PDB file of all heavy atoms in Angstrom:
ATOM      1  N   LEU G   1     -68.655 -38.633  -7.229  1.00 92.00           N
ATOM      2  CA  LEU G   1     -67.670 -37.651  -6.771  1.00 92.00           C
ATOM      3  C   LEU G   1     -67.129 -36.803  -7.912  1.00 92.00           C
ATOM      4  O   LEU G   1     -66.419 -35.825  -7.676  1.00 92.00           O
ATOM      5  CB  LEU G   1     -66.519 -38.345  -6.037  1.00 92.00           C
ATOM      6  CG  LEU G   1     -66.895 -38.987  -4.694  1.00 92.00           C
ATOM      7  CD1 LEU G   1     -65.723 -39.782  -4.135  1.00 92.00           C
ATOM      8  CD2 LEU G   1     -67.337 -37.923  -3.703  1.00 92.00           C
ATOM      9  N   ALA G   2     -67.437 -37.180  -9.151  1.00 92.00           N
ATOM     10  CA  ALA G   2     -67.045 -36.354 -10.302  1.00 92.00           C
ATOM     11  C   ALA G   2     -68.103 -35.302 -10.621  1.00 92.00           C
ATOM     12  O   ALA G   2     -67.922 -34.492 -11.532  1.00 92.00           O
ATOM     13  CB  ALA G   2     -66.810 -37.244 -11.520  1.00 92.00           C
ATOM     14  N   SER G   3     -69.188 -35.283  -9.856  1.00 91.00           N
ATOM     15  CA  SER G   3     -70.269 -34.315 -10.082  1.00 91.00           C
ATOM     16  C   SER G   3     -69.832 -32.911  -9.675  1.00 91.00           C
ATOM     17  O   SER G   3     -69.113 -32.736  -8.690  1.00 91.00           O
ATOM     18  CB  SER G   3     -71.500 -34.727  -9.266  1.00 91.00           C
ATOM     19  OG  SER G   3     -72.454 -33.688  -9.248  1.00 91.00           O
ATOM     20  N   PRO G   4     -70.269 -31.884 -10.427  1.00 90.00           N
ATOM     21  CA  PRO G   4     -69.937 -30.492 -10.065  1.00 90.00           C
ATOM     22  C   PRO G   4     -70.453 -30.101  -8.679  1.00 90.00           C
ATOM     23  O   PRO G   4     -69.943 -29.153  -8.078  1.00 90.00           O
ATOM     24  CB  PRO G   4     -70.642 -29.674 -11.157  1.00 90.00           C
ATOM     25  CG  PRO G   4     -70.774 -30.615 -12.312  1.00 90.00           C
ATOM     26  CD  PRO G   4     -70.986 -31.966 -11.705  1.00 90.00           C
ATOM     27  N   SER G   5     -71.444 -30.823  -8.168  1.00 89.00           N
ATOM     28  CA  SER G   5     -71.995 -30.493  -6.849  1.00 89.00           C
ATOM     29  C   SER G   5     -71.133 -31.009  -5.696  1.00 89.00           C
ATOM     30  O   SER G   5     -71.363 -30.661  -4.539  1.00 89.00           O
ATOM     31  CB  SER G   5     -73.414 -31.066  -6.716  1.00 89.00           C
ATOM     32  OG  SER G   5     -73.384 -32.487  -6.821  1.00 89.00           O
ATOM     33  N   THR G   6     -70.141 -31.835  -6.004  1.00 89.00           N
ATOM     34  CA  THR G   6     -69.257 -32.364  -4.963  1.00 89.00           C
ATOM     35  C   THR G   6     -68.324 -31.262  -4.474  1.00 89.00           C
ATOM     36  O   THR G   6     -67.788 -30.498  -5.285  1.00 89.00           O
ATOM     37  CB  THR G   6     -68.413 -33.533  -5.522  1.00 89.00           C
ATOM     38  OG1 THR G   6     -69.293 -34.549  -6.017  1.00 89.00           O
ATOM     39  CG2 THR G   6     -67.509 -34.117  -4.449  1.00 89.00           C
ATOM     40  N   PRO G   7     -68.115 -31.129  -3.169  1.00 88.00           N
ATOM     41  CA  PRO G   7     -67.166 -30.134  -2.649  1.00 88.00           C
ATOM     42  C   PRO G   7     -65.813 -30.250  -3.339  1.00 88.00           C
ATOM     43  O   PRO G   7     -65.358 -31.360  -3.653  1.00 88.00           O
ATOM     44  CB  PRO G   7     -67.070 -30.487  -1.159  1.00 88.00           C
ATOM     45  CG  PRO G   7     -68.367 -31.156  -0.849  1.00 88.00           C
ATOM     46  CD  PRO G   7     -68.757 -31.906  -2.092  1.00 88.00           C
ATOM     47  N   ALA G   8     -65.181 -29.118  -3.567  1.00 84.00           N
ATOM     48  CA  ALA G   8     -63.963 -29.072  -4.381  1.00 84.00           C
ATOM     49  C   ALA G   8     -62.869 -30.010  -3.876  1.00 84.00           C
ATOM     50  O   ALA G   8     -62.164 -30.641  -4.672  1.00 84.00           O
ATOM     51  CB  ALA G   8     -63.445 -27.641  -4.442  1.00 84.00           C
ATOM     52  N   HIS G   9     -62.711 -30.122  -2.560  1.00 82.00           N
ATOM     53  CA  HIS G   9     -61.599 -30.925  -2.035  1.00 82.00           C
ATOM     54  C   HIS G   9     -61.815 -32.425  -2.251  1.00 82.00           C
ATOM     55  O   HIS G   9     -60.861 -33.206  -2.186  1.00 82.00           O
ATOM     56  CB  HIS G   9     -61.384 -30.634  -0.546  1.00 82.00           C
ATOM     57  CG  HIS G   9     -62.428 -31.219   0.357  1.00 82.00           C
ATOM     58  ND1 HIS G   9     -63.700 -30.683   0.460  1.00 82.00           N
ATOM     59  CD2 HIS G   9     -62.404 -32.309   1.180  1.00 82.00           C
ATOM     60  CE1 HIS G   9     -64.400 -31.395   1.319  1.00 82.00           C
ATOM     61  NE2 HIS G   9     -63.647 -32.386   1.766  1.00 82.00           N
ATOM     62  N   ARG G  10     -63.067 -32.819  -2.526  1.00 86.00           N
ATOM     63  CA  ARG G  10     -63.367 -34.236  -2.742  1.00 86.00           C
ATOM     64  C   ARG G  10     -63.689 -34.542  -4.202  1.00 86.00           C
ATOM     65  O   ARG G  10     -63.768 -35.705  -4.589  1.00 86.00           O
ATOM     66  CB  ARG G  10     -64.550 -34.669  -1.870  1.00 86.00           C
ATOM     67  CG  ARG G  10     -64.304 -34.551  -0.370  1.00 86.00           C
ATOM     68  CD  ARG G  10     -65.333 -35.342   0.395  1.00 86.00           C
ATOM     69  NE  ARG G  10     -65.192 -36.768   0.138  1.00 86.00           N
ATOM     70  CZ  ARG G  10     -66.190 -37.649   0.241  1.00 86.00           C
ATOM     71  NH1 ARG G  10     -67.397 -37.232   0.561  1.00 86.00           N
ATOM     72  NH2 ARG G  10     -65.987 -38.928   0.004  1.00 86.00           N
ATOM     73  N   ARG G  11     -63.854 -33.510  -5.002  1.00 91.00           N
ATOM     74  CA  ARG G  11     -64.287 -33.705  -6.387  1.00 91.00           C
ATOM     75  C   ARG G  11     -63.181 -34.318  -7.233  1.00 91.00           C
ATOM     76  O   ARG G  11     -62.004 -33.995  -7.089  1.00 91.00           O
ATOM     77  CB  ARG G  11     -64.728 -32.380  -6.993  1.00 91.00           C
ATOM     78  CG  ARG G  11     -65.371 -32.511  -8.385  1.00 91.00           C
ATOM     79  CD  ARG G  11     -65.718 -31.149  -8.936  1.00 91.00           C
ATOM     80  NE  ARG G  11     -66.455 -30.369  -7.953  1.00 91.00           N
ATOM     81  CZ  ARG G  11     -66.345 -29.055  -7.811  1.00 91.00           C
ATOM     82  NH1 ARG G  11     -65.520 -28.380  -8.589  1.00 91.00           N
ATOM     83  NH2 ARG G  11     -67.055 -28.423  -6.889  1.00 91.00           N
ATOM     84  N   ILE G  12     -63.583 -35.207  -8.128  1.00 94.00           N
ATOM     85  CA  ILE G  12     -62.661 -35.820  -9.082  1.00 94.00           C
ATOM     86  C   ILE G  12     -62.813 -35.111 -10.415  1.00 94.00           C
ATOM     87  O   ILE G  12     -63.905 -35.064 -10.983  1.00 94.00           O
ATOM     88  CB  ILE G  12     -62.960 -37.318  -9.244  1.00 94.00           C
ATOM     89  CG1 ILE G  12     -62.833 -38.053  -7.911  1.00 94.00           C
ATOM     90  CG2 ILE G  12     -62.029 -37.946 -10.277  1.00 94.00           C
ATOM     91  CD1 ILE G  12     -63.342 -39.483  -7.942  1.00 94.00           C
ATOM     92  N   GLN G  13     -61.718 -34.565 -10.920  1.00 94.00           N
ATOM     93  CA  GLN G  13     -61.722 -33.904 -12.222  1.00 94.00           C
ATOM     94  C   GLN G  13     -61.534 -34.957 -13.312  1.00 94.00           C
ATOM     95  O   GLN G  13     -60.633 -35.797 -13.222  1.00 94.00           O
ATOM     96  CB  GLN G  13     -60.605 -32.867 -12.301  1.00 94.00           C
ATOM     97  CG  GLN G  13     -60.680 -31.782 -11.247  1.00 94.00           C
ATOM     98  CD  GLN G  13     -61.905 -30.902 -11.418  1.00 94.00           C
ATOM     99  OE1 GLN G  13     -62.442 -30.747 -12.520  1.00 94.00           O
ATOM    100  NE2 GLN G  13     -62.370 -30.321 -10.317  1.00 94.00           N
ATOM    101  N   VAL G  14     -62.381 -34.923 -14.311  1.00 94.00           N
ATOM    102  CA  VAL G  14     -62.332 -35.937 -15.365  1.00 94.00           C
ATOM    103  C   VAL G  14     -62.029 -35.299 -16.717  1.00 94.00           C
ATOM    104  O   VAL G  14     -62.138 -34.086 -16.891  1.00 94.00           O
ATOM    105  CB  VAL G  14     -63.658 -36.724 -15.446  1.00 94.00           C
ATOM    106  CG1 VAL G  14     -63.924 -37.457 -14.138  1.00 94.00           C
ATOM    107  CG2 VAL G  14     -64.821 -35.809 -15.803  1.00 94.00           C
ATOM    108  N   ILE G  15     -61.636 -36.158 -17.660  1.00 95.00           N
ATOM    109  CA  ILE G  15     -61.416 -35.736 -19.035  1.00 95.00           C
ATOM    110  C   ILE G  15     -62.205 -36.665 -19.948  1.00 95.00           C
ATOM    111  O   ILE G  15     -62.623 -37.753 -19.540  1.00 95.00           O
ATOM    112  CB  ILE G  15     -59.914 -35.777 -19.421  1.00 95.00           C
ATOM    113  CG1 ILE G  15     -59.370 -37.216 -19.296  1.00 95.00           C
ATOM    114  CG2 ILE G  15     -59.108 -34.804 -18.564  1.00 95.00           C
ATOM    115  CD1 ILE G  15     -57.978 -37.390 -19.871  1.00 95.00           C
ATOM    116  N   LYS G  16     -62.420 -36.241 -21.165  1.00 93.00           N
ATOM    117  CA  LYS G  16     -63.091 -37.071 -22.165  1.00 93.00           C
ATOM    118  C   LYS G  16     -62.075 -37.484 -23.225  1.00 93.00           C
ATOM    119  O   LYS G  16     -61.298 -36.665 -23.716  1.00 93.00           O
ATOM    120  CB  LYS G  16     -64.236 -36.294 -22.817  1.00 93.00           C
ATOM    121  CG  LYS G  16     -65.461 -36.126 -21.943  1.00 93.00           C
ATOM    122  CD  LYS G  16     -66.230 -37.447 -21.828  1.00 93.00           C
ATOM    123  CE  LYS G  16     -67.567 -37.247 -21.140  1.00 93.00           C
ATOM    124  NZ  LYS G  16     -68.315 -38.528 -21.040  1.00 93.00           N
ATOM    125  N   GLU G  17     -62.110 -38.757 -23.559  1.00 92.00           N
ATOM    126  CA  GLU G  17     -61.288 -39.268 -24.657  1.00 92.00           C
ATOM    127  C   GLU G  17     -62.207 -40.102 -25.533  1.00 92.00           C
ATOM    128  O   GLU G  17     -62.476 -41.258 -25.239  1.00 92.00           O
ATOM    129  CB  GLU G  17     -60.118 -40.092 -24.128  1.00 92.00           C
ATOM    130  CG  GLU G  17     -59.121 -40.473 -25.212  1.00 92.00           C
ATOM    131  CD  GLU G  17     -57.879 -41.131 -24.656  1.00 92.00           C
ATOM    132  OE1 GLU G  17     -57.011 -40.412 -24.121  1.00 92.00           O
ATOM    133  OE2 GLU G  17     -57.781 -42.376 -24.761  1.00 92.00           O
ATOM    134  N   GLY G  18     -62.705 -39.485 -26.584  1.00 91.00           N
ATOM    135  CA  GLY G  18     -63.742 -40.144 -27.373  1.00 91.00           C
ATOM    136  C   GLY G  18     -64.998 -40.258 -26.540  1.00 91.00           C
ATOM    137  O   GLY G  18     -65.483 -39.280 -25.985  1.00 91.00           O
ATOM    138  N   ARG G  19     -65.509 -41.468 -26.407  1.00 91.00           N
ATOM    139  CA  ARG G  19     -66.719 -41.702 -25.614  1.00 91.00           C
ATOM    140  C   ARG G  19     -66.399 -42.081 -24.164  1.00 91.00           C
ATOM    141  O   ARG G  19     -67.299 -42.294 -23.364  1.00 91.00           O
ATOM    142  CB  ARG G  19     -67.542 -42.812 -26.263  1.00 91.00           C
ATOM    143  CG  ARG G  19     -67.984 -42.489 -27.693  1.00 91.00           C
ATOM    144  CD  ARG G  19     -68.725 -43.626 -28.337  1.00 91.00           C
ATOM    145  NE  ARG G  19     -69.989 -43.900 -27.671  1.00 91.00           N
ATOM    146  CZ  ARG G  19     -70.835 -44.855 -28.057  1.00 91.00           C
ATOM    147  NH1 ARG G  19     -70.535 -45.622 -29.087  1.00 91.00           N
ATOM    148  NH2 ARG G  19     -71.969 -45.045 -27.407  1.00 91.00           N
ATOM    149  N   ARG G  20     -65.118 -42.146 -23.838  1.00 92.00           N
ATOM    150  CA  ARG G  20     -64.718 -42.583 -22.502  1.00 92.00           C
ATOM    151  C   ARG G  20     -64.504 -41.397 -21.567  1.00 92.00           C
ATOM    152  O   ARG G  20     -63.983 -40.354 -21.968  1.00 92.00           O
ATOM    153  CB  ARG G  20     -63.434 -43.411 -22.566  1.00 92.00           C
ATOM    154  CG  ARG G  20     -63.534 -44.649 -23.418  1.00 92.00           C
ATOM    155  CD  ARG G  20     -62.222 -45.420 -23.435  1.00 92.00           C
ATOM    156  NE  ARG G  20     -61.913 -45.997 -22.132  1.00 92.00           N
ATOM    157  CZ  ARG G  20     -60.789 -46.663 -21.869  1.00 92.00           C
ATOM    158  NH1 ARG G  20     -59.876 -46.814 -22.823  1.00 92.00           N
ATOM    159  NH2 ARG G  20     -60.563 -47.169 -20.674  1.00 92.00           N
ATOM    160  N   THR G  21     -64.904 -41.574 -20.323  1.00 94.00           N
ATOM    161  CA  THR G  21     -64.630 -40.605 -19.275  1.00 94.00           C
ATOM    162  C   THR G  21     -63.497 -41.161 -18.423  1.00 94.00           C
ATOM    163  O   THR G  21     -63.602 -42.278 -17.888  1.00 94.00           O
ATOM    164  CB  THR G  21     -65.873 -40.368 -18.399  1.00 94.00           C
ATOM    165  OG1 THR G  21     -66.939 -39.896 -19.223  1.00 94.00           O
ATOM    166  CG2 THR G  21     -65.580 -39.333 -17.319  1.00 94.00           C
ATOM    167  N   LEU G  22     -62.418 -40.406 -18.301  1.00 95.00           N
ATOM    168  CA  LEU G  22     -61.212 -40.902 -17.652  1.00 95.00           C
ATOM    169  C   LEU G  22     -60.678 -39.889 -16.649  1.00 95.00           C
ATOM    170  O   LEU G  22     -61.067 -38.720 -16.645  1.00 95.00           O
ATOM    171  CB  LEU G  22     -60.138 -41.210 -18.698  1.00 95.00           C
ATOM    172  CG  LEU G  22     -60.488 -42.293 -19.739  1.00 95.00           C
ATOM    173  CD1 LEU G  22     -59.519 -42.230 -20.909  1.00 95.00           C
ATOM    174  CD2 LEU G  22     -60.472 -43.681 -19.104  1.00 95.00           C
ATOM    175  N   ILE G  23     -59.774 -40.350 -15.810  1.00 96.00           N
ATOM    176  CA  ILE G  23     -59.105 -39.488 -14.839  1.00 96.00           C
ATOM    177  C   ILE G  23     -57.617 -39.516 -15.152  1.00 96.00           C
ATOM    178  O   ILE G  23     -57.013 -40.598 -15.262  1.00 96.00           O
ATOM    179  CB  ILE G  23     -59.343 -39.994 -13.394  1.00 96.00           C
ATOM    180  CG1 ILE G  23     -60.852 -40.044 -13.086  1.00 96.00           C
ATOM    181  CG2 ILE G  23     -58.645 -39.082 -12.395  1.00 96.00           C
ATOM    182  CD1 ILE G  23     -61.439 -41.426 -13.142  1.00 96.00           C
ATOM    183  N   GLU G  24     -57.027 -38.338 -15.325  1.00 96.00           N
ATOM    184  CA  GLU G  24     -55.601 -38.277 -15.615  1.00 96.00           C
ATOM    185  C   GLU G  24     -54.795 -38.793 -14.425  1.00 96.00           C
ATOM    186  O   GLU G  24     -55.238 -38.728 -13.269  1.00 96.00           O
ATOM    187  CB  GLU G  24     -55.195 -36.845 -15.950  1.00 96.00           C
ATOM    188  CG  GLU G  24     -55.737 -36.357 -17.280  1.00 96.00           C
ATOM    189  CD  GLU G  24     -55.267 -34.950 -17.611  1.00 96.00           C
ATOM    190  OE1 GLU G  24     -55.198 -34.119 -16.675  1.00 96.00           O
ATOM    191  OE2 GLU G  24     -54.979 -34.695 -18.798  1.00 96.00           O
ATOM    192  N   HIS G  25     -53.589 -39.275 -14.720  1.00 95.00           N
ATOM    193  CA  HIS G  25     -52.752 -39.880 -13.681  1.00 95.00           C
ATOM    194  C   HIS G  25     -52.511 -38.920 -12.519  1.00 95.00           C
ATOM    195  O   HIS G  25     -52.662 -39.288 -11.345  1.00 95.00           O
ATOM    196  CB  HIS G  25     -51.419 -40.330 -14.285  1.00 95.00           C
ATOM    197  CG  HIS G  25     -50.525 -41.030 -13.306  1.00 95.00           C
ATOM    198  ND1 HIS G  25     -49.703 -40.350 -12.433  1.00 95.00           N
ATOM    199  CD2 HIS G  25     -50.348 -42.348 -13.048  1.00 95.00           C
ATOM    200  CE1 HIS G  25     -49.047 -41.223 -11.685  1.00 95.00           C
ATOM    201  NE2 HIS G  25     -49.418 -42.441 -12.036  1.00 95.00           N
ATOM    202  N   GLY G  26     -52.136 -37.697 -12.832  1.00 95.00           N
ATOM    203  CA  GLY G  26     -51.860 -36.729 -11.775  1.00 95.00           C
ATOM    204  C   GLY G  26     -53.074 -36.442 -10.907  1.00 95.00           C
ATOM    205  O   GLY G  26     -52.960 -36.290  -9.678  1.00 95.00           O
ATOM    206  N   GLU G  27     -54.248 -36.378 -11.525  1.00 95.00           N
ATOM    207  CA  GLU G  27     -55.474 -36.126 -10.778  1.00 95.00           C
ATOM    208  C   GLU G  27     -55.829 -37.328  -9.906  1.00 95.00           C
ATOM    209  O   GLU G  27     -56.263 -37.168  -8.754  1.00 95.00           O
ATOM    210  CB  GLU G  27     -56.624 -35.820 -11.738  1.00 95.00           C
ATOM    211  CG  GLU G  27     -58.004 -35.746 -11.108  1.00 95.00           C
ATOM    212  CD  GLU G  27     -58.170 -34.646 -10.084  1.00 95.00           C
ATOM    213  OE1 GLU G  27     -57.250 -33.813  -9.910  1.00 95.00           O
ATOM    214  OE2 GLU G  27     -59.239 -34.614  -9.441  1.00 95.00           O
ATOM    215  N   ALA G  28     -55.664 -38.527 -10.440  1.00 95.00           N
ATOM    216  CA  ALA G  28     -55.941 -39.728  -9.644  1.00 95.00           C
ATOM    217  C   ALA G  28     -55.031 -39.794  -8.426  1.00 95.00           C
ATOM    218  O   ALA G  28     -55.485 -40.088  -7.315  1.00 95.00           O
ATOM    219  CB  ALA G  28     -55.763 -40.977 -10.513  1.00 95.00           C
ATOM    220  N   LYS G  29     -53.781 -39.500  -8.632  1.00 94.00           N
ATOM    221  CA  LYS G  29     -52.814 -39.533  -7.525  1.00 94.00           C
ATOM    222  C   LYS G  29     -53.151 -38.466  -6.487  1.00 94.00           C
ATOM    223  O   LYS G  29     -53.095 -38.703  -5.279  1.00 94.00           O
ATOM    224  CB  LYS G  29     -51.402 -39.333  -8.075  1.00 94.00           C
ATOM    225  CG  LYS G  29     -50.294 -39.591  -7.076  1.00 94.00           C
ATOM    226  CD  LYS G  29     -48.938 -39.575  -7.763  1.00 94.00           C
ATOM    227  CE  LYS G  29     -47.840 -39.948  -6.779  1.00 94.00           C
ATOM    228  NZ  LYS G  29     -46.508 -39.993  -7.447  1.00 94.00           N
ATOM    229  N   ARG G  30     -53.494 -37.256  -6.958  1.00 93.00           N
ATOM    230  CA  ARG G  30     -53.854 -36.165  -6.042  1.00 93.00           C
ATOM    231  C   ARG G  30     -55.084 -36.526  -5.228  1.00 93.00           C
ATOM    232  O   ARG G  30     -55.111 -36.361  -4.008  1.00 93.00           O
ATOM    233  CB  ARG G  30     -54.133 -34.883  -6.844  1.00 93.00           C
ATOM    234  CG  ARG G  30     -54.567 -33.693  -5.978  1.00 93.00           C
ATOM    235  CD  ARG G  30     -55.383 -32.692  -6.755  1.00 93.00           C
ATOM    236  NE  ARG G  30     -56.691 -33.214  -7.166  1.00 93.00           N
ATOM    237  CZ  ARG G  30     -57.748 -33.312  -6.346  1.00 93.00           C
ATOM    238  NH1 ARG G  30     -57.651 -32.969  -5.083  1.00 93.00           N
ATOM    239  NH2 ARG G  30     -58.900 -33.787  -6.809  1.00 93.00           N
ATOM    240  N   TRP G  31     -56.114 -37.051  -5.910  1.00 92.00           N
ATOM    241  CA  TRP G  31     -57.366 -37.345  -5.225  1.00 92.00           C
ATOM    242  C   TRP G  31     -57.187 -38.471  -4.213  1.00 92.00           C
ATOM    243  O   TRP G  31     -57.705 -38.393  -3.094  1.00 92.00           O
ATOM    244  CB  TRP G  31     -58.446 -37.713  -6.242  1.00 92.00           C
ATOM    245  CG  TRP G  31     -59.778 -37.927  -5.590  1.00 92.00           C
ATOM    246  CD1 TRP G  31     -60.714 -36.990  -5.286  1.00 92.00           C
ATOM    247  CD2 TRP G  31     -60.283 -39.189  -5.117  1.00 92.00           C
ATOM    248  NE1 TRP G  31     -61.785 -37.575  -4.658  1.00 92.00           N
ATOM    249  CE2 TRP G  31     -61.554 -38.920  -4.541  1.00 92.00           C
ATOM    250  CE3 TRP G  31     -59.800 -40.498  -5.119  1.00 92.00           C
ATOM    251  CZ2 TRP G  31     -62.332 -39.904  -3.973  1.00 92.00           C
ATOM    252  CZ3 TRP G  31     -60.580 -41.492  -4.552  1.00 92.00           C
ATOM    253  CH2 TRP G  31     -61.823 -41.205  -3.988  1.00 92.00           C
TER     254      TRP G  31
END
């Protein structure tokens, strides 16, 4: 669901922190 091909309303926006892929708190709550 973090893929760019996922429809916008279902897509999970991610961030990079070093080698880790994470979801910010606000984005997790929204999703």
Side-chain angles (χ1 to χ4, degrees):
L1 292 173
S3 168
S5 62
T6 302
H9 73 285
R10 298 196 66 206
R11 188 183 310 145
I12 301 170
Q13 301 294 334
V14 299
I15 61 170
K16 286 286 189 180
E17 188 173 283
R19 300 177 65 180
R20 301 180 68 183
T21 301
L22 299 165
I23 302 102
E24 290 182 321
H25 183 277
E27 171 63 7
K29 190 171 185 178
R30 178 205 67 78
W31 184 86

